[in-house]
Amino acid sequence: MLETLKSIDTQWFLWVNSHHNTALDWTMWVLSQHWSWAVVIVAAFCQLTLRYEPRRWWLPLLGIVLCFLLADQGSVHLFKNTVCRLRPCHAIEGVRMFRTSCGGQYGFISSHAANAFAVGLFLVLRYWKRVRRQWPLLLLVVWALATSYSRAYLGKHYPGDLICGAVFGAIMALIVWWITNMIEKKLKASETK
């Protein structure tokens, strides 16, 4: 069963990694860059937090920091360093990589996918009932999906690494959302006394 899953994962990876064009090359490269993440997260934070809860701006900021901390460190210490699954660029000959190197030896789970889904879904959960239009929040989910896809496109991860990273990130988002909600309830309760 495990060998069948590995075979399917490798076939999916090879399909994604072999379907490319110039526009997608640059788009996927940009999506994988940390500076582009900063632009997306700062824009989302400013648009949502400063508009819908300027008094407690520090609470969603704390949530974003916790999401990064838990998803990033968890993906490395709980998975990459224990599962030790080689990245496809270390395991398969002729992997196509655009403007990037293979990086670390292990790829399960994808830290990019875990981080993008943790932050993106945390913001969606935090603001879903507060905003008048939900489509900007859905763009965060599209961003997380596209960022994850970029990692297979660029030869860094198998699709299974991305799916498991996204699930782990979503779990971290739920935990952080719950923590920030508890803090907010305690703050509101102390304000009414």
Side-chain angles (χ1 to χ4, degrees):
M1 176 71 169
L2 191 57
E3 288 306 314
T4 303
L5 288 174
K6 283 183 181 178
S7 175
I8 292 169
D9 209 18
T10 301
Q11 289 171 13
W12 283 3
F13 167 76
L14 291 171
W15 186 87
V16 169
N17 187 250
S18 66
H19 286 78
H20 49 84
N21 63 49
T22 304
L24 266 182
D25 285 349
W26 286 100
T27 303
M28 294 297 125
W29 180 78
V30 167
L31 283 168
S32 280
Q33 301 306 304
H34 292 109
W35 57 263
S36 73
W37 286 45
V39 170
V40 170
I41 293 166
V42 167
F45 176 79
C46 290
Q47 179 66 25
L48 296 168
T49 304
L50 300 180
R51 185 173 188 182
Y52 294 104
E53 54 181 336
R55 241 181 86 225
R56 287 205 179 97
W57 59 269
W58 60 271
L59 198 51
L61 182 61
L62 173 66
I64 290 169
V65 170
L66 280 175
C67 281
F68 267 120
L69 182 66
L70 293 173
D72 192 63
Q73 294 303 302
S75 66
V76 172
H77 298 296
L78 296 175
F79 295 97
K80 282 183 183 167
N81 293 345
T82 57
V83 174
C84 299
R85 182 184 189 195
L86 290 176
R87 290 179 185 266
C89 48
H90 286 303
I92 301 170
E93 293 269 334
V95 170
R96 183 179 182 279
M97 303 188 81
F98 179 76
R99 295 183 57 87
T100 187
S101 64
C102 198
Q105 195 171 6
Y106 304 123
F108 183 84
I109 60 176
S110 167
S111 296
H112 274 71
N115 290 334
F117 272 89
V119 173
L121 288 180
F122 166 74
L123 290 172
V124 168
L125 290 167
R126 179 130 188 108
Y127 291 104
W128 188 259
K129 292 183 180 176
R130 299 173 195 224
V131 299
R132 281 179 270 167
R133 296 186 187 118
Q134 278 75 25
W135 69 264
L137 296 175
L138 295 176
L139 287 177
L140 286 170
V141 175
V142 170
W143 165 74
L145 286 167
T147 298
S148 297
Y149 181 84
S150 76
R151 305 306 286 163
Y153 184 95
L154 295 173
K156 301 279 223 172
H157 288 284
Y158 293 101
D161 302 344
L162 304 172
I163 292 166
C164 293
V167 169
F168 180 70
I171 292 168
M172 295 303 102
L174 284 167
I175 290 169
V176 172
W177 176 67
W178 181 81
I179 290 169
T180 56
N181 277 352
M182 291 300 105
I183 293 170
E184 188 171 33
K185 285 179 184 174
K186 288 187 179 195
L187 288 171
K188 285 181 179 176
S190 67
E191 287 171 0
T192 57
K193 288 182 181 177

